[in-house]
Amino acid sequence: MHNYFYKIAILLIVLLNSEIGFTQSVKLTEVQWHGVGCFKIEMSMGTVYFEKDNGVSGFKSFVDPEGNDWIASYLEPGPHGDYRGFPNSVGNFGHAGRNSNSTTKIVDGITEGDFVVLESTNGIFTFQYWFFTDRVAIKVLKSEGEYNFLLECVPGGTSDAADFFVTADGKKHIPTEDGEFDDFTPEWFYIGDPKAKNVLFMAKTPEDDAPNENHRQILKDNVHNMDLYSFGRTGKEHKYKIYGMSGNEHVCIIGFTPTDQTHNQIAGMIESFMEKPFISGVKPIKRWGTDVLNHPKSWYSSKEAIAIANNVIQYQSGYGGWPKSTDLARTPLTAGDIPPDGRGRANSIDNEATTLPMEFLARVITATGDKKFRAAFDRGLDYLFAAQYPNGGWPQFWPLRGDAYYSRVTFNDDAMMRVMRLLRGVADSGENFRFVDTKRREKAKASVNSGIDFILKSQIRQNDNLTAWCAQYDEKTLEPAWARAYEPPSISGDETVGIVSFLMGLENPTTEVIGAVEGAVAWLNAVAIKGIRLDNVLNTDGRTERVLVADPDAPLLWARFYELGTNRPLYLDRDSKFRYNYSEVGYERRSGYNYHGDWATSLLEEEYPKWHFKHLKSVPVIVEAENGTFSGIIDRHSCWHNVMLTDAPHSTHSGRGVVDTKNEIGSFVEVNYEAEWTGLHRITVRYTHIKSDPRPGELLINGTSVATLTMQQTDALPAWKTESIEVNLQTGKNVIRLQALNEGGLPNMDYIKIAEIRDIPTGSLPRTQVLEVEDGNFTGKEDHHSCWDFIAQQKGSHSGFTGEGYVDTDNEKGSFIEVKYHAPEEGLYQLGVRYVHGKPDIRPAELKINNETVATSLNFSPTGAWTAWTTTTTKVKLKAGQNVIRLIAIEVQGLVNIDHFTVTPVDN
């Protein structure tokens, strides 16, 4: 049973460690320590010498990181050291130096890892000792009668009159000879020496009615020998009787922690240990966090919410800001709980400091109207206004401290964007900010506009194309800058997502904002890491670490840092050296820092398409037939095209195959489509069918028949045809089904395309429109290369195109691509051409609009790889109505491979 518990615990620890990236280990060796056999257990928080020979078990020494022995059993300094030990339970069980007929073993023989376990027994009692890097947890596996956990110690290594202990209420006590307290809850405290750099904490769970003892042992001639602390034993007045603790549910926790932590930080740490005593790497429990924003509206007028709000305003500085990394929900009990101005964590926007307390107070103000909370919120607004640089950015700390890192404009960890979102809520009279006065609301609006201006100015360009953002910028030059030693000037795959999300939330985006979003989204798509999975593995030494594993089905990943100019994923250790291989980063950073994440997935798959529909052209959505439900099989004859080097059947399908339905009436292909509005849509089906029998299909929308598609015979299997019909769809989910009316079933189905049909409101211009070149006229072929996904199990050449494919023109002078664009009105437009060119030569082209040459030579330079798509832009004048745009090769190599054209009106 014991072994079963241990193995289950190991499984839980591995799972949790895979989430938190815990990085240190515990090491156990067998040594002679001052003449007796001991297990030496080395942890980052301290070292235990556990006596084990001659029927003895228990802590003989407990040494803090500075080398001070807080138990020193049988050791100098001080007389009668033979009394000291831990856990000193009934009949000397667990007492160093005292024979209780005990034996101790190493559980499962593990001597190094995230934890190691000892088990001691004398047949009557059995205790398990779990040694973690940050504490020791003792579990009672067997007991007969009542027992206790008793610590006999010399705080800081010597017995001093100033030695003290602190209870959970933050009160500091000096032990007395007769005992200071009996029962208290929660059942934890910590012990200190004014000269020491650490305190020793001791806790017990669960809470009970057993007595809690402390007293100072003063011997003859007023000699201070040691201080004693116990769970489950009375003081001197009751003759140190043991009672109240029995059974196997009790756990005792002990360890060191630095004195530079505040009382509330220590409280959160101990509470986390009591909640998960046998899990390594648990984080301190914080009552304060983003969850305070997720309660029902009625809760913010409750006693609990008001109590938290009263605590929150106590942490506000004289400047109006709040500290970071502070549990604001806990009452500040000691002077150290509130960071002083100008130092440490005070006055920051990092780690949700200032913005989170303001958002919480705004909800309480809205619910209660309390003036003192409103005054605190107003001071917070004034702080944010004062902290903003004239260029529109915010530093990590304000007032400035002279530290370059703290003074940088900080997008890192979403710091500046949290400020921007808060101020936008104020400026727009958001639901929780309607109490803000007009003057501050106007200042918030100006502040947001200035912040947007900084965002637009700081977006990084490559070859005159907008990409994304660095995590921090020099506040004077606006150039990407260093933060910490492993956070270089680079392009961020994480912080960029928050910036783009904010810009997409603007109700009336300018042309510049739209261009910024489009550039960043294109960059995020281009730099996504494909076919690689981020894994957590358990090493033979018991440590977990992160590794990258090849996996063709892995979801997309993004790197935290991309090298400026090359877009290569970048990895740094604390030595600030650039590395391009993740495995070369040291264990501590690789497993303790998020160099990869799926940060952009939701943005690209959910947020951006909705934004695009709202502010730009309605882009058709292509739903591959093989991704729906169907009766039949998926066919992938495209591989023939590459293996046999012929235009074999189906060689030009999109996606990963075609659906060959069963040859029977009722055979079907069905897909789902989320419509953004209720109204007219154009549905287009792409198919091929070379046999003579007709293969019509009935089109059903949400179970209702709306039309019959004839789907005429095609000239050859690669000669795909499309058939379209306009139908009404409802907002939200729509089920689109095409089912066979004849025995032959349906033709071979490639995809179903859905596009909105909306009128352009009077006086408005559609924004960027994407013109897929494969839908236009051209000399050459439409290419897909989709079969590479199945032959090489990786994304092959030219992956990353949009639409159904791209155009590879004939290699000859005069090769062309031509598309048509209906301009809402005459004016200046920005024309973009998205292309890829993996060869070293430059391929110039002539640009004609409506048969008139507007550029005699546009140079299309090499992109460096067949997957490195880029866009070149030029301004052109278009007439109202239809315009014919033609790109013509002026050399014998033809054109580069072209993906699409974009057209964007230029605001006057």
Side-chain angles (χ1 to χ4, degrees), residues 313-335:
I313 63 176
Q314 292 184 67
Y315 288 93
Q316 189 175 26
S317 77
Y319 291 98
W322 275 267
K324 74 174 196 174
S325 305
T326 302
D327 195 342
L328 305 184
R330 297 180 187 270
T331 304
L333 298 173
T334 63

Side-chain angles (χ1 to χ4, degrees), residues 65-256:
E66 277 65 51
N68 303 308
D69 189 345
W70 290 54
I71 291 180
S73 183
Y74 286 90
L75 306 178
E76 297 295 339
H80 304 291
D82 57 309
Y83 287 123
R84 301 183 196 128
F86 175 79
N88 300 353
S89 197
V90 177
N92 292 321
F93 178 71
H95 197 315
R98 302 296 178 89
N99 186 342
S100 61
N101 297 313
S102 302
T103 58
T104 302
K105 67 177 182 179
I106 305 169
V107 176
D108 277 12
I110 295 176
T111 59
E112 185 170 2
D114 287 345
F115 63 97
V116 296
V117 182
L118 295 179
E119 186 175 299
S120 294
T121 185
N122 63 359
I124 300 173
F125 292 93
T126 302
F127 286 3
Q128 251 187 13
Y129 301 81
W130 292 59
F131 296 88
F132 297 94
T133 62
D134 48 10
R135 85 278 190 187
V136 183
I138 303 173
K139 179 175 178 60
V140 180
L141 296 183
K142 181 180 180 182
S143 63
E144 293 183 11
E146 296 176 312
Y147 55 88
N148 67 292
F149 300 119
L150 171 67
L151 171 66
E152 299 165 330
C153 66
V154 281
T158 59
S159 297
D160 302 310
D163 293 343
F164 63 89
F165 66 95
V166 179
T167 46
D169 57 8
K171 294 181 180 179
K172 184 176 180 180
H173 309 264
I174 304 292
T176 66
E177 184 177 352
D178 294 328
E180 181 73 26
F181 61 86
D182 290 321
D183 300 333
F184 61 95
T185 55
E187 297 192 77
W188 62 263
F189 55 89
Y190 54 91
I191 307 160
D193 179 332
K195 301 187 300 297
K197 294 182 179 180
N198 294 272
V199 295
L200 187 151
F201 58 86
M202 187 170 167
K204 181 182 68 65
T205 185
E207 294 182 6
D208 53 34
D209 295 328
N212 303 313
E213 167 209 4
N214 91 86
H215 74 274
R216 175 159 289 170
Q217 188 180 80
I218 306 296
L219 302 180
K220 186 179 179 181
D221 298 326
N222 202 34
V223 174
H224 178 185
N225 185 38
M226 60 182 169
D227 293 341
L228 298 94
Y229 298 89
S230 175
F231 297 116
R233 193 176 90 158
T234 64
K236 180 180 180 181
E237 67 278 12
H238 296 294
K239 300 180 180 180
Y240 308 118
K241 179 182 178 182
I242 297 171
Y243 71 91
M245 286 173 53
S246 61
N248 299 342
E249 75 274 18
H250 297 288
V251 175
C252 186
I253 300 161
I254 192 169
F256 293 113

Side-chain angles (χ1 to χ4, degrees), residues 517-565:
V517 171
E518 290 294 311
V521 166
W523 181 85
L524 287 168
N525 277 313
V527 301
I529 300 172
K530 303 171 183 177
I532 299 292
R533 184 179 76 251
L534 182 64
D535 251 3
N536 293 282
V537 299
L538 180 65
N539 289 337
T540 55
D541 62 5
R543 302 187 304 177
T544 57
E545 67 174 306
R546 296 169 181 168
V547 296
L548 293 177
V549 180
D551 179 358
D553 298 321
L556 296 179
L557 280 178
W558 283 266
R560 183 69 177 268
F561 308 119
Y562 289 89
E563 187 176 40
L564 295 169

